[in-house]
Amino acid sequence: MEYGWSLPKRISHLNELRQTDDKDNPQFQLFFQNRRQIFTIYTVPIGLPKYRLANGRTQASQESYLSKNPDLPQDYFERDEENGSVQEVQHTLLKGLLGSGGKNIIKFFKNNRQNEPLILTHTGFVVNGNRRLCALRELLEEDEVKYSYFSHIDVIILPPCEEKDIDELEAQLQVITDIKADYNWISEACMLRNRHIKHRYSLESLAQIYDKTVPQIEDILDTLHHVDMYLDSQNKSKRYEEVVKQEYAFKQLKKARKKIKNDAKRTIFTTIAYTMLSAPPETGRLWDSIPEAEENLDKIITNLQDELEIDVELKGDDSYSLLDDEEDELESLIVSVSESKNKERILEVVDDVIREQRETERESRNKKYVLIQVNKANTFLKNAITGLNRDTESSGIDQQLDEILISVSKLRELLRKNVTH
């Protein structure tokens, strides 16, 4: 498989295309550089384009790949975009995304021709359509006779421009309005962080480009920070594919942490939440219960102190002499809940406390059921009085009121009997 022609060969071919008489070629309208522009559609060999390594959609995949290959330099995907080996790795990462979002791209192109051009920079890198190019190359590799029509593809060629112009175009076509395949939350967060830290985009600029508010950008980056802390705690740094389905859990974790004012308790809760997040699939979606774990944290802490072996010695550090007994116990518990040997017992304690609380609430609701229903009836009757006027349809009201009186009488009778007994 060819992962892009050499730079001189690409530029020469693209320049030659643009210099030809193209009045009969189809055209494509695009909003670019803050104005609508008309671009000519050209046909090029499928082996010509190179993948854009700064593609936002693959940012999380790239970081995960580097974490699994620690011998590679951290700028592996930035050092040389022309490198054939890097382009091949990028193809593999893109291939892993072909079934993501609302459409399986490989399946789609098995039954459909290309209906929208890829967008290339003036040097032949794909700005929009990286996954589509990957899919077409895979199909052509699978059966070059059956899919021979993918040997050449339609493209438009952007004029020389700044990197920011390309980022804005990518945001417009993929992150904001792309309904063909959703950016998952991790990919979006990694892309925004990369733009902010490595490319030095301000939060205000990111908010403008990606159609968000500054607080939304801050929230996304803060959530990613918690994701990184969790993955680090599990010795799975940057393995973002393992948490892509847990967005709700991390948002709830953030929200719950803000409610806890005591630093030690916040640390204990965070460790417990991490344990819930890492629970095996057969235990169910325990992370859904993270808000309940925060609400019942004091009871959970008390039970854990009774259940776990807390024999940590905190001697040799004068700072601990300033702690009262409760703080000392919490500091010891912090160490215990972080030990992997206690993971299963922690999950059992948390589950027991939450189940007990749910049962207590259920019993409470049952005990107050009659009162709740009477309150509702009283409210409805008061609303009826307020709504009564000359235009009210009166037919049937007297009958309903008679039945209400009978029900009230019966309820009073049952109430007296229960009180007596």
Side-chain angles (χ1 to χ4, degrees):
M1 187 182 295
E2 200 169 16
Y3 300 106
W5 293 357
S6 67
L7 179 60
K9 186 178 178 182
R10 290 199 315 274
I11 292 179
S12 174
H13 189 82
L14 295 178
N15 286 341
E16 185 178 340
L17 286 176
R18 285 180 291 192
Q19 291 169 7
T20 59
D21 185 4
D22 56 13
K23 62 181 181 181
D24 295 327
N25 283 28
Q27 295 183 318
F28 188 80
Q29 182 175 269
L30 188 67
F31 191 82
F32 182 61
Q33 295 178 321
N34 297 314
R35 62 192 179 92
R36 295 204 173 276
Q37 300 187 47
I38 302 298
F39 292 89
T40 298
I41 298 178
Y42 300 102
T43 300
V44 301
I46 194 172
L48 180 149
K50 282 189 180 289
Y51 299 117
R52 182 173 182 250
L53 301 184
N55 182 284
R57 198 187 297 279
T58 57
Q59 183 64 47
S61 300
Q62 289 177 355
E63 293 187 33
S64 179
Y65 182 83
L66 291 176
S67 75
K68 296 172 185 175
N69 296 274
D71 293 337
L72 295 176
Q74 287 302 300
D75 63 350
Y76 177 73
F77 290 100
E78 302 166 2
R79 180 175 294 185
D80 183 7
E81 286 190 307
E82 295 291 337
N83 186 290
S85 297
V86 181
Q87 284 285 324
E88 184 175 0
V89 170
Q90 181 73 352
H91 177 87
T92 302
L93 298 181
L94 288 164
K95 185 177 176 181
L97 300 174
L98 295 183
S100 66
K103 180 186 294 183
N104 184 309
I105 300 179
I106 284 281
K107 184 177 180 181
F108 175 81
F109 282 116
K110 281 186 175 182
N111 302 302
N112 296 275
R113 301 287 187 102
Q114 183 186 5
N115 57 11
E116 186 174 305
L118 305 188
I119 301 175
L120 306 185
T121 66
H122 72 288
T123 57
F125 285 96
V126 181
V127 174
N128 184 257
N130 283 276
R131 293 188 317 142
R132 280 177 283 152
L133 175 59
C134 174
L136 300 184
R137 283 174 169 171
E138 282 293 316
L139 289 173
L140 191 61
E141 183 80 4
E142 177 185 314
D143 192 331
E144 63 179 10
V145 175
K146 182 178 179 179
Y147 299 109
S148 59
Y149 45 81
F150 288 144
S151 63
H152 287 72
I153 55 176
D154 291 337
V155 303
I156 64 172
I157 307 168
L158 298 177
C161 59
E162 296 180 1
E163 190 70 18
K164 185 178 180 182
D165 294 326
I166 295 176
D167 287 338
E168 290 178 347
L169 180 61
E170 181 187 55
Q172 171 198 335
L173 295 176
Q174 296 180 14
V175 183
I176 301 172
T177 61
D178 184 7
I179 61 173
K180 295 186 289 295
D182 302 329
Y183 253 60
N184 68 53
W185 67 286
I186 283 288
S187 295
E188 180 183 49
C190 288
M191 178 270 296
L192 289 172
R193 180 176 63 186
N194 180 269
R195 300 287 192 266
H196 179 51
I197 296 177
K198 291 189 176 182
H199 298 280
R200 301 187 182 281
Y201 281 53
S202 68
L203 296 182
E204 290 75 16
S205 294
L206 290 174
Q208 180 181 7
I209 292 172
Y210 295 100
D211 195 27
K212 298 181 184 296
T213 64
V214 170
Q216 285 176 326
I217 298 290
E218 291 174 332
D219 182 67
I220 291 171
L221 296 181
D222 187 42
T223 302
L224 182 59
H225 171 67
H226 284 286
V227 170
D228 281 324
M229 288 197 301
Y230 164 70
L231 290 174
D232 288 345
S233 75
Q234 304 298 308
N235 296 317
K236 296 179 179 179
S237 178
K238 307 295 184 181
R239 304 287 180 88
Y240 296 120
E241 67 275 8
E242 299 199 12
V243 297
V244 72
K245 296 181 180 179
Q246 296 176 318
E247 178 182 14
Y248 169 81
F250 284 102
K251 289 186 178 298
Q252 293 302 315
L253 169 59
K254 277 182 51 190
K255 187 183 298 184
R257 276 174 51 88
K258 291 179 181 179
K259 297 180 182 179
I260 304 171
K261 305 306 179 185
N262 180 283
D263 290 341
K265 288 185 178 181
R266 190 185 308 114
T267 301
I268 292 170
F269 166 75
T270 302
T271 306
I272 290 172
Y274 287 174
T275 302
M276 296 169 74
L277 280 163
S278 64
E282 57 268 21
T283 61
R285 290 163 51 100
L286 291 185
W287 63 78
D288 283 344
S289 301
I290 285 177
E292 292 175 277
E294 183 275 323
E295 293 169 1
N296 297 278
L297 182 59
D298 287 340
K299 180 68 177 294
I300 290 173
I301 287 176
T302 299
N303 287 11
L304 287 174
Q305 288 172 328
D306 293 338
E307 295 286 342
L308 300 183
E309 294 182 11
I310 304 177
D311 54 4
V312 180
E313 293 187 8
L314 300 175
K315 298 177 181 178
D317 188 340
D318 293 339
S319 63
Y320 286 108
S321 63
L322 301 176
L323 302 174
D324 58 28
D325 291 341
E326 180 184 7
E327 290 175 321
D328 189 76
E329 289 180 6
L330 290 178
E331 293 291 338
S332 300
L333 184 60
I334 287 174
V335 178
S336 294
V337 296
S338 64
E339 294 179 340
S340 58
K341 67 177 184 179
N342 292 324
K343 178 177 178 178
E344 187 174 338
R345 191 68 193 115
I346 291 170
L347 293 176
E348 291 175 355
V349 168
V350 172
D351 187 56
D352 287 344
V353 170
I354 291 177
R355 286 179 183 274
E356 180 182 340
Q357 181 60 28
R358 288 174 179 173
E359 184 60 33
T360 300
E361 291 176 357
R362 189 180 300 110
E363 291 178 357
S364 177
R365 286 196 298 271
N366 289 341
K367 290 178 180 179
K368 295 180 179 179
Y369 176 78
V370 174
L371 176 60
I372 292 172
Q373 300 306 311
V374 170
N375 277 337
K376 289 180 180 178
N378 186 27
T379 299
F380 289 143
L381 286 172
K382 288 179 178 179
N383 290 341
I385 293 171
T386 303
L388 185 65
N389 55 51
R390 292 182 178 180
D391 298 325
T392 299
E393 174 59 56
S394 61
S395 176
I397 293 180
D398 279 335
Q399 180 181 349
Q400 291 295 323
L401 289 174
D402 288 340
E403 292 184 11
I404 289 172
L405 289 174
I406 293 173
S407 295
V408 170
S409 178
K410 181 66 174 178
L411 192 57
R412 286 187 183 279
E413 180 182 344
L414 292 172
L415 189 60
R416 283 194 296 270
K417 288 182 179 179
N418 285 327
V419 171
T420 302
H421 292 301

